[in-house]
Amino acid sequence: MKVLFTFVPREDQQQRLTNEFPEVQFHFAKQDKSLLPEAEIVVTYGEDLSSEDIEKAKKLKWIMVVSAGVEKMPHKAIQERGIIVSNVRGIHKTPMSESVLAHLLSLKRSLPVLYENQRKKEWNRRVGSSELKGSTALVIGPGAIGAEIGRLLQAFGVYTIGCNRSGVSAEFMDEMVRFHNIMEALPKADIVISVVPSTKETKNMLKQEHFQAMNSDAIFMNFGRGDLVENAVLLEALNKEEIAFAVLDVFEEEPLPSHHPFWEMNNVIISPHVSSHSSKYVERSLDVFIPNLKKWLAEDPNPSNLVNMEKGY
Amino acid sequence: MKVLFTFVPREDQQQRLTNEFPEVQFHFAKQDKSLLPEAEIVVTYGEDLSSEDIEKAKKLKWIMVVSAGVEKMPHKAIQERGIIVSNVRGIHKTPMSESVLAHLLSLKRSLPVLYENQRKKEWNRRVGSSELKGSTALVIGPGAIGAEIGRLLQAFGVYTIGCNRSGVSAEFMDEMVRFHNIMEALPKADIVISVVPSTKETKNMLKQEHFQAMNSDAIFMNFGRGDLVENAVLLEALNKEEIAFAVLDVFEEEPLPSHHPFWEMNNVIISPHVSSHSSKYVERSLDVFIPNLKKWLAEDPNPSNLVNMEKGY
């Protein structure tokens, strides 16, 4: 049986796979898809498969996506063929929550100012630091990642409000609000963090009125998907100082075009969709893949973290 | 009775004092010491009183220092007059521990790289992020501040080793080591943080051999006092890459001279002794001062956090 990786893991990680599964032929090939017609399993970051690829991949039965989002995959072609899709939901929570806290603490403790002053060799003690403690954070979409962010925020003495469609309680949230009632919660929040995936419901979910309702000192963080809010809406909120800061890991268009005003704005931090990156990422993906491949070889085609391609998550 | 502040709190903070103590005359005067002869109590950051000032301050009975260190005060003149000195020990732990975590997370999640790439308008996803989780930290001097740092590190899944003279257990430390045995602990640590005050014992306490024993990936953080290690020793350790990074909030000489090599080193972060700064600092100092002033007015001259001017803390 052949397994095609559309990226190349480290040497020791390849070794781990071949040692564990001597009966399987692994191919690690970035961009080279010539082996697609023979592969039963494809392991991919989920951005490099077209519907033509699916058509060529006659033997393909399982796509293992080492990412959380599947919105760039050819849903229709995959569904028609009944190909199983699974992902690595859950492995993003550590790097992403550390990134969220890194950005928040960096702003509160004036690290960008310190770095800038060091570049100028300037000993300047007027850096205007404040504290994270005592803030209130609104977490939109408190799933596994949001809960981990909530846990860390609470450790810093931050009051957490979770926001989802149902208003059903979520872990590490001091209180919950239904998205329907978000307007009541927005003025209370010093920090508004979105970690929602891209679905029909979340597209352009945040509008002008929501930013107008936010605290003018608020930090808005989009670590979910870029289509949560239109660039123009966010840009206006920042220019009108309806909010104080935006930390953006995702954008309507990625890469963010080089002429976009966000790049030069003092109240915007650009993180080029790297908040889930980690030197431990591929290792953890293999921790998910290996037990699933064992089951697969034992004729149990039910990998963990199955993705419903109709719902999109 | 007259109370002289040698700095000017915010309007609302002044109001808080005058509302609480209508019988007391408060004077808020930066640099202007003309009221010293009449003041029974002086509230100061502790860097602006000379022995001549103490002589002039005929009625002075209590100096409230809204800082932790008292090394810049005229010890002899104060002791001779039997003037009570108290400080705000304890109010630094929140801003300092947030600063320590901010710097660690910023380095692990590559924030300096992100900021630099944004300046260059460069969408570059190869930022080399890693994680704080799973690290081991050695905290030298785990008192109130060190414990708070330990608590937050543990929340991030960091294993904490405390180091003090006695080896007696300290809060939020997974294990303890006596300073006498620090050489055994140094190679295990990914992060070495000092928060020790300046005393006879801690002066030049860390030497070449200690840096040689550290992990070459280690981040060294000095957030205590600058005389813990000689500049030359630290410089050599960084140049020889015996450690990966130094984050320095304190220095042998402050301000750090503009010609010092630290300014331009890629593996040094300079924080100009601001890790305890916070917009909430004066507010919290008043939270300590007000109950003490109430006691004072009730003829109970024993403010909290009395400083022993002989010991220096």
Side-chain angles (χ1 to χ4, degrees), chain B residues 20-309:
Chain B
E20 192 95 37
F21 302 101
E23 71 277 37
V24 175
Q25 288 179 48
F26 291 98
H27 297 279
F28 308 102
K30 195 170 176 174
Q31 282 163 344
D32 173 8
K33 294 180 186 166
S34 58
L35 283 153
L36 258 181
E38 296 165 47
E40 182 172 323
I41 301 169
V42 168
V43 184
T44 166
Y45 278 102
E47 302 186 340
D48 54 2
L49 289 178
S50 64
S51 46
E52 291 73 41
D53 289 332
I54 300 300
E55 203 177 311
K56 278 181 210 149
K58 299 285 182 211
K59 295 186 178 169
L60 181 58
K61 290 183 182 159
W62 170 25
I63 302 173
M64 163 87 197
V65 188
V66 291
S67 159
V70 293
E71 66 266 27
K72 292 184 181 164
M73 307 231 318
H75 287 226
K76 196 160 163 280
I78 291 168
Q79 275 183 279
E80 279 172 4
R81 283 268 306 279
I83 295 167
I84 290 168
V85 177
S86 72
N87 70 6
V88 288
R89 201 162 45 232
I91 77 163
H92 303 85
K93 70 175 190 178
T94 295
M96 283 190 70
S97 58
E98 289 195 7
S99 275
V100 167
L101 269 294
H103 282 288
L104 284 175
L105 288 165
S106 177
L107 291 178
K108 296 289 183 189
R109 305 304 299 152
S110 303
L111 264 47
V113 180
L114 296 189
Y115 296 157
E116 177 65 16
N117 288 345
Q118 180 170 353
R119 281 203 314 128
K120 295 187 288 188
K121 299 191 185 186
E122 194 177 300
W123 181 274
N124 182 348
R125 300 186 72 201
R126 297 195 166 273
V127 295
S129 299
S130 60
E131 294 170 16
L132 184 55
K133 185 175 178 173
S135 306
T136 295
L138 179 66
V139 179
I140 306 175
I145 295 165
E148 181 64 0
I149 292 169
R151 187 183 69 79
L152 293 172
L153 286 173
Q154 287 183 340
F156 281 89
V158 175
Y159 186 83
T160 56
I161 306 174
C163 177
N164 55 23
R165 262 185 299 171
S166 62
V168 165
S169 71
E171 266 193 307
F172 301 108
M173 295 296 142
D174 290 310
E175 78 180 64
M176 290 298 299
V177 63
R178 293 178 57 181
F179 185 74
H180 186 70
N181 299 322
I182 196 171
M183 291 296 280
E184 295 162 24
L186 287 169
K188 298 181 206 165
D190 305 294
I191 301 156
V192 178
I193 305 169
S194 170
V195 282
V196 294
S198 174
T199 65
K200 277 168 227 156
E201 285 89 2
T202 63
K203 193 168 177 177
N204 298 337
M205 189 169 80
L206 288 190
K207 301 190 195 306
Q208 196 180 30
E209 58 180 8
H210 297 113
F211 289 92
Q212 283 166 351
M214 287 182 204
N215 192 324
S216 64
D217 291 332
I219 299 172
F220 170 69
M221 307 183 82
N222 192 358
F223 279 61
R225 281 293 181 262
D227 57 10
L228 177 79
V229 48
E230 281 178 50
N231 269 345
V233 169
L234 184 54
L235 196 57
E236 194 184 332
L238 286 159
N239 282 332
K240 286 190 174 167
E241 297 178 7
E242 287 164 0
I243 58 172
F245 246 105
V247 182
L248 306 172
D249 189 56
V250 291
F251 302 86
E252 264 193 319
E253 188 185 349
E254 293 182 13
L256 182 68
S258 59
H259 56 77
H260 197 284
F262 283 162
W263 287 109
E264 289 191 337
M265 289 168 71
N266 285 328
N267 52 358
V268 175
I269 302 289
I270 293 175
S271 167
H273 208 148
V274 293
S275 68
S276 65
H277 284 204
S278 162
S279 54
K280 294 182 186 161
Y281 194 92
V282 174
E283 198 62 38
R284 287 219 187 95
S285 297
L286 295 185
D287 293 343
V288 176
F289 179 61
I290 286 173
N292 283 331
L293 181 55
K294 277 187 190 154
K295 279 166 68 184
W296 187 270
L297 293 172
E299 311 281 317
D300 177 3
N302 289 300
S304 60
N305 301 331
L306 276 177
V307 177
N308 179 327
M309 291 303 279

Side-chain angles (χ1 to χ4, degrees), chain A residues 64-68 86-93 144-145 281 288 304-308 312-313:
Chain A
M64 164 87 197
V65 187
V66 293
S67 158
S86 73
N87 69 6
V88 288
R89 201 162 44 233
I91 78 162
H92 303 86
K93 70 177 191 176
I145 296 165
Y281 193 92
V288 176
S304 60
N305 301 331
L306 276 177
V307 176
N308 179 328
Y313 58 88

